[in-house]
CSV table of all heavy atoms in Angstrom, one decimal:
chain,number,residue,atom,x,y,z
R,1,TYR,N,-1.7,18.3,1.9
R,1,TYR,CA,-0.4,18.7,2.5
R,1,TYR,C,0.5,17.4,2.7
R,1,TYR,O,1.7,17.4,2.5
R,1,TYR,CB,-0.6,19.4,3.8
R,1,TYR,CG,-1.2,20.8,3.7
R,1,TYR,CD1,-1.9,21.3,4.7
R,1,TYR,CD2,-1.1,21.5,2.5
R,1,TYR,CE1,-2.5,22.6,4.6
R,1,TYR,CE2,-1.7,22.7,2.4
R,1,TYR,CZ,-2.4,23.3,3.4
R,1,TYR,OH,-3.1,24.5,3.3
R,2,ARG,N,-0.2,16.3,3.1
R,2,ARG,CA,0.6,15.1,3.4
R,2,ARG,C,1.2,14.5,2.1
R,2,ARG,O,2.3,14.1,2.1
R,2,ARG,CB,-0.4,14.1,4.0
R,2,ARG,CG,0.3,12.7,4.3
R,2,ARG,CD,-0.5,11.8,5.1
R,2,ARG,NE,-0.6,12.2,6.5
R,2,ARG,CZ,-1.7,12.8,7.0
R,2,ARG,NH1,-2.8,13.0,6.3
R,2,ARG,NH2,-1.7,13.2,8.3
R,3,ARG,N,0.4,14.5,1.0
R,3,ARG,CA,0.9,14.0,-0.2
R,3,ARG,C,2.1,14.9,-0.7
R,3,ARG,O,3.1,14.4,-1.3
R,3,ARG,CB,-0.2,14.0,-1.3
R,3,ARG,CG,-1.2,12.9,-1.0
R,3,ARG,CD,-2.0,12.6,-2.3
R,3,ARG,NE,-2.8,13.7,-2.6
R,3,ARG,CZ,-4.1,14.0,-2.2
R,3,ARG,NH1,-4.7,13.1,-1.4
R,3,ARG,NH2,-4.7,15.0,-2.7
R,4,GLN,N,1.9,16.2,-0.5
R,4,GLN,CA,3.0,17.1,-0.9
R,4,GLN,C,4.3,16.9,-0.1
R,4,GLN,O,5.4,16.9,-0.7
R,4,GLN,CB,2.5,18.6,-0.8
R,4,GLN,CG,1.4,19.0,-1.8
R,4,GLN,CD,1.0,20.4,-1.5
R,4,GLN,OE1,1.2,21.0,-0.5
R,4,GLN,NE2,0.2,21.0,-2.5
R,5,ALA,N,4.1,16.7,1.2
R,5,ALA,CA,5.3,16.4,2.0
R,5,ALA,C,6.0,15.1,1.6
R,5,ALA,O,7.2,15.0,1.6
R,5,ALA,CB,4.9,16.4,3.5
R,6,ARG,N,5.2,14.1,1.3
R,6,ARG,CA,5.8,12.8,0.9
R,6,ARG,C,6.5,13.0,-0.4
R,6,ARG,O,7.6,12.5,-0.6
R,6,ARG,CB,4.7,11.7,0.8
R,6,ARG,CG,5.2,10.4,0.3
R,6,ARG,CD,4.1,9.4,0.2
R,6,ARG,NE,3.5,9.0,1.5
R,6,ARG,CZ,4.1,8.1,2.3
R,6,ARG,NH1,5.2,7.4,1.9
R,6,ARG,NH2,3.5,7.8,3.5
R,7,ALA,N,5.9,13.7,-1.4
R,7,ALA,CA,6.5,13.9,-2.7
R,7,ALA,C,7.8,14.6,-2.6
R,7,ALA,O,8.8,14.3,-3.2
R,7,ALA,CB,5.5,14.6,-3.6
R,8,THR,N,7.8,15.7,-1.7
R,8,THR,CA,9.0,16.5,-1.5
R,8,THR,C,10.1,15.6,-0.9
R,8,THR,O,11.3,15.7,-1.4
R,8,THR,CB,8.7,17.7,-0.6
R,8,THR,OG1,7.7,18.5,-1.2
R,8,THR,CG2,10.0,18.5,-0.4
R,9,ALA,N,9.8,14.8,0.1
R,9,ALA,CA,10.8,13.9,0.7
R,9,ALA,C,11.3,12.9,-0.3
R,9,ALA,O,12.5,12.7,-0.3
R,9,ALA,CB,10.1,13.2,1.9
R,10,THR,N,10.4,12.4,-1.1
R,10,THR,CA,10.9,11.4,-2.1
R,10,THR,C,11.8,12.0,-3.1
R,10,THR,O,12.9,11.5,-3.5
R,10,THR,CB,9.7,10.8,-2.8
R,10,THR,OG1,8.8,10.1,-1.8
R,10,THR,CG2,10.1,9.8,-3.9
R,11,HIS,N,11.5,13.2,-3.6
R,11,HIS,CA,12.3,13.9,-4.5
R,11,HIS,C,13.7,14.2,-3.9
R,11,HIS,O,14.7,14.0,-4.5
R,11,HIS,CB,11.6,15.2,-5.0
R,11,HIS,CG,12.5,16.1,-5.8
R,11,HIS,ND1,12.8,15.9,-7.1
R,11,HIS,CD2,13.2,17.2,-5.4
R,11,HIS,CE1,13.6,16.9,-7.6
R,11,HIS,NE2,13.9,17.7,-6.5
R,12,ASN,N,13.7,14.7,-2.7
R,12,ASN,CA,14.9,15.1,-2.0
R,12,ASN,C,15.8,13.8,-1.8
R,12,ASN,O,17.0,13.9,-1.8
R,12,ASN,CB,14.6,15.8,-0.7
R,12,ASN,CG,14.1,17.2,-0.9
R,12,ASN,OD1,14.2,17.8,-2.0
R,12,ASN,ND2,13.4,17.8,0.1
R,13,LEU,N,15.1,12.7,-1.5
R,13,LEU,CA,15.9,11.5,-1.2
R,13,LEU,C,16.6,11.0,-2.5
R,13,LEU,O,17.8,10.7,-2.4
R,13,LEU,CB,14.9,10.4,-0.8
R,13,LEU,CG,15.5,9.2,-0.1
R,13,LEU,CD1,16.2,9.5,1.2
R,13,LEU,CD2,14.4,8.1,0.2
R,14,HIS,N,16.0,11.1,-3.6
R,14,HIS,CA,16.7,10.7,-4.8
R,14,HIS,C,17.8,11.7,-5.2
R,14,HIS,O,18.8,11.3,-5.7
R,14,HIS,CB,15.6,10.6,-6.0
R,14,HIS,CG,14.8,9.3,-5.9
R,14,HIS,ND1,15.2,8.1,-6.5
R,14,HIS,CD2,13.6,9.1,-5.3
R,14,HIS,CE1,14.3,7.2,-6.3
R,14,HIS,NE2,13.3,7.8,-5.5
R,15,ALA,N,17.5,13.0,-5.0
R,15,ALA,CA,18.6,14.0,-5.3
R,15,ALA,C,19.8,13.8,-4.4
R,15,ALA,O,20.9,13.9,-4.8
R,15,ALA,CB,18.0,15.4,-5.1
R,16,LEU,N,19.5,13.5,-3.1
R,16,LEU,CA,20.6,13.2,-2.1
R,16,LEU,C,21.4,12.0,-2.5
R,16,LEU,O,22.7,12.0,-2.5
R,16,LEU,CB,20.0,13.1,-0.7
R,16,LEU,CG,21.1,12.7,0.3
R,16,LEU,CD1,22.1,13.9,0.5
R,16,LEU,CD2,20.3,12.4,1.7
R,17,ALA,N,20.7,10.9,-2.9
R,17,ALA,CA,21.5,9.7,-3.3
R,17,ALA,C,22.3,10.0,-4.5
R,17,ALA,O,23.4,9.5,-4.6
R,17,ALA,CB,20.4,8.6,-3.6
R,18,GLU,N,21.8,10.7,-5.5
R,18,GLU,CA,22.6,11.0,-6.7
R,18,GLU,C,23.8,11.8,-6.4
R,18,GLU,O,24.9,11.6,-6.9
R,18,GLU,CB,21.7,11.8,-7.7
R,18,GLU,CG,22.4,12.1,-9.0
R,18,GLU,CD,21.5,12.7,-10.0
R,18,GLU,OE1,20.3,13.0,-9.7
R,18,GLU,OE2,22.0,13.1,-11.1
R,19,SER,N,23.6,12.8,-5.4
R,19,SER,CA,24.7,13.7,-5.1
R,19,SER,C,25.8,12.9,-4.3
R,19,SER,O,27.0,13.3,-4.3
R,19,SER,CB,24.3,14.9,-4.3
R,19,SER,OG,23.9,14.5,-3.0
R,20,ALA,N,25.4,11.9,-3.6
R,20,ALA,CA,26.3,11.0,-2.9
R,20,ALA,C,27.0,10.0,-3.7
R,20,ALA,O,27.8,9.2,-3.2
R,20,ALA,CB,25.6,10.4,-1.7
R,21,GLY,N,26.6,9.9,-5.0
R,21,GLY,CA,27.2,8.9,-5.9
R,21,GLY,C,26.6,7.5,-5.9
R,21,GLY,O,27.3,6.6,-6.4
R,22,LEU,N,25.4,7.4,-5.3
R,22,LEU,CA,24.8,6.1,-5.3
R,22,LEU,C,24.2,5.8,-6.7
R,22,LEU,O,23.5,6.6,-7.2
R,22,LEU,CB,23.7,6.0,-4.2
R,22,LEU,CG,24.1,6.2,-2.8
R,22,LEU,CD1,22.9,6.0,-1.9
R,22,LEU,CD2,25.3,5.3,-2.4
R,23,VAL,N,24.4,4.6,-7.2
R,23,VAL,CA,23.8,4.2,-8.5
R,23,VAL,C,22.4,3.7,-8.1
R,23,VAL,O,22.1,3.2,-7.1
R,23,VAL,CB,24.6,3.1,-9.1
R,23,VAL,CG1,26.0,3.6,-9.5
R,23,VAL,CG2,24.7,1.9,-8.3
R,24,PRO,N,21.4,3.9,-9.1
R,24,PRO,CA,20.0,3.5,-8.8
R,24,PRO,C,19.8,2.1,-8.4
R,24,PRO,O,19.0,1.8,-7.5
R,24,PRO,CB,19.3,3.8,-10.2
R,24,PRO,CG,20.2,4.9,-10.8
R,24,PRO,CD,21.6,4.6,-10.4
R,25,SER,N,20.6,1.2,-8.9
R,25,SER,CA,20.5,-0.2,-8.5
R,25,SER,C,21.1,-0.6,-7.2
R,25,SER,O,21.0,-1.7,-6.7
R,25,SER,CB,21.1,-1.1,-9.6
R,25,SER,OG,22.5,-0.9,-9.8
R,26,GLY,N,21.8,0.4,-6.6
R,26,GLY,CA,22.6,0.1,-5.4
R,26,GLY,C,21.9,0.5,-4.1
R,26,GLY,O,22.5,0.3,-3.0
R,27,TRP,N,20.6,1.0,-4.2
R,27,TRP,CA,20.0,1.4,-2.9
R,27,TRP,C,18.4,1.4,-3.1
R,27,TRP,O,17.9,1.3,-4.3
R,27,TRP,CB,20.4,2.8,-2.5
R,27,TRP,CG,19.9,3.9,-3.5
R,27,TRP,CD1,20.4,4.2,-4.7
R,27,TRP,CD2,18.8,4.8,-3.2
R,27,TRP,NE1,19.7,5.2,-5.3
R,27,TRP,CE2,18.8,5.6,-4.4
R,27,TRP,CE3,18.0,5.1,-2.2
R,27,TRP,CZ2,17.8,6.7,-4.5
R,27,TRP,CZ3,17.0,6.1,-2.3
R,27,TRP,CH2,17.0,6.9,-3.4
R,28,THR,N,17.7,1.3,-2.0
R,28,THR,CA,16.3,1.3,-2.0
R,28,THR,C,15.7,2.5,-1.2
R,28,THR,O,16.2,2.6,0.0
R,28,THR,CB,15.7,0.0,-1.4
R,28,THR,OG1,16.3,-1.1,-2.2
R,28,THR,CG2,14.2,0.0,-1.4
R,29,PRO,N,14.8,3.3,-1.7
R,29,PRO,CA,14.3,4.4,-0.9
R,29,PRO,C,13.2,3.9,0.0
R,29,PRO,O,12.5,2.9,-0.2
R,29,PRO,CB,13.6,5.3,-2.0
R,29,PRO,CG,13.3,4.4,-3.1
R,29,PRO,CD,14.3,3.3,-3.1
R,30,CYS,N,13.1,4.6,1.2
R,30,CYS,CA,12.1,4.3,2.2
R,30,CYS,C,11.6,5.6,2.8
R,30,CYS,O,12.3,6.2,3.6
R,30,CYS,CB,12.7,3.4,3.3
R,30,CYS,SG,11.5,2.9,4.6
R,31,VAL,N,10.4,6.1,2.4
R,31,VAL,CA,9.9,7.3,2.8
R,31,VAL,C,8.7,7.0,3.7
R,31,VAL,O,7.7,6.4,3.3
R,31,VAL,CB,9.4,8.2,1.6
R,31,VAL,CG1,8.8,9.5,2.2
R,31,VAL,CG2,10.6,8.5,0.7
R,32,VAL,N,8.8,7.4,5.0
R,32,VAL,CA,7.7,7.0,6.0
R,32,VAL,C,7.3,8.3,6.7
R,32,VAL,O,8.1,9.2,6.8
R,32,VAL,CB,8.2,5.9,7.0
R,32,VAL,CG1,8.5,4.6,6.3
R,32,VAL,CG2,9.5,6.4,7.7
R,33,GLU,N,6.1,8.2,7.2
R,33,GLU,CA,5.5,9.3,8.0
R,33,GLU,C,5.7,9.1,9.4
R,33,GLU,O,5.4,7.9,9.9
R,33,GLU,CB,4.1,9.6,7.6
R,33,GLU,CG,3.5,10.8,8.3
R,33,GLU,CD,2.0,11.0,7.9
R,33,GLU,OE1,1.5,10.2,7.2
R,33,GLU,OE2,1.5,12.1,8.3
R,34,GLY,N,6.0,10.1,10.2
R,34,GLY,CA,6.0,10.0,11.7
R,34,GLY,C,7.3,10.4,12.3
R,34,GLY,O,8.3,10.9,11.7
R,35,ASP,N,7.4,10.1,13.6
R,35,ASP,CA,8.6,10.4,14.4
R,35,ASP,C,9.8,9.6,13.9
R,35,ASP,O,9.8,8.4,13.8
R,35,ASP,CB,8.3,10.1,15.9
R,35,ASP,CG,9.5,10.4,16.7
R,35,ASP,OD1,9.8,11.6,17.1
R,35,ASP,OD2,10.3,9.5,17.1
R,36,ALA,N,10.9,10.3,13.6
R,36,ALA,CA,12.1,9.6,13.0
R,36,ALA,C,12.6,8.5,13.9
R,36,ALA,O,12.9,7.4,13.4
R,36,ALA,CB,13.2,10.6,12.8
R,37,SER,N,12.7,8.8,15.2
R,37,SER,CA,13.3,7.8,16.1
R,37,SER,C,12.5,6.5,16.2
R,37,SER,O,13.1,5.4,16.2
R,37,SER,CB,13.4,8.3,17.6
R,37,SER,OG,12.2,8.7,18.1
R,38,LEU,N,11.2,6.6,16.1
R,38,LEU,CA,10.3,5.4,16.1
R,38,LEU,C,10.4,4.7,14.8
R,38,LEU,O,10.5,3.4,14.7
R,38,LEU,CB,8.9,5.8,16.4
R,38,LEU,CG,8.6,6.4,17.8
R,38,LEU,CD1,7.1,6.8,17.9
R,38,LEU,CD2,9.0,5.4,18.9
């Protein structure tokens, strides 16, 4: 389940960046597990 959750978050992150008009060389993804505020 953890690997699935990470893969889903990674996929959604790239889709969001593309929809926002970010070019691949203009940003770096960071997918982390845990409480968002921390």
Side-chain angles (χ1 to χ4, degrees):
Y1 294 155
R2 177 173 288 106
R3 290 196 296 269
Q4 291 175 347
R6 179 181 292 276
T8 299
T10 301
H11 171 79
N12 290 341
L13 196 61
H14 284 270
L16 176 64
E18 182 178 359
S19 71
L22 299 184
V23 297
S25 61
W27 68 285
T28 301
C30 179
V31 179
V32 293
E33 181 179 8
D35 178 81
S37 59
L38 298 176

